[in-house]
Amino acid sequence: MAAKCDLCGKGPQFGNNVSHANNKTRRRWDVNLRPVKAKVDGASKRMRVCTGCIKTGKIVKG
């Protein structure tokens, strides 16, 4: 399953782990997703939404 918000489309970001010896290896920061029941077009629907969307009120729980 993709690590992507169903509402805003926010996905993982990529970067480097950097050691003390300045060795670089690739890593990723995943989105903080939460499964919620949301009202969409008057019906309840199960969605995986990022916490940013939940905090800003872009989603109506129910």
Side-chain angles (χ1 to χ4, degrees), residues 13-32:
Q13 290 185 329
F14 297 90
N16 289 319
N17 281 323
V18 182
S19 71
H20 187 65
N22 209 28
N23 298 327
K24 293 173 183 73
T25 55
R26 296 300 283 176
R27 64 157 293 179
R28 65 188 260 168
W29 286 268
D30 280 327
V31 187
N32 191 4

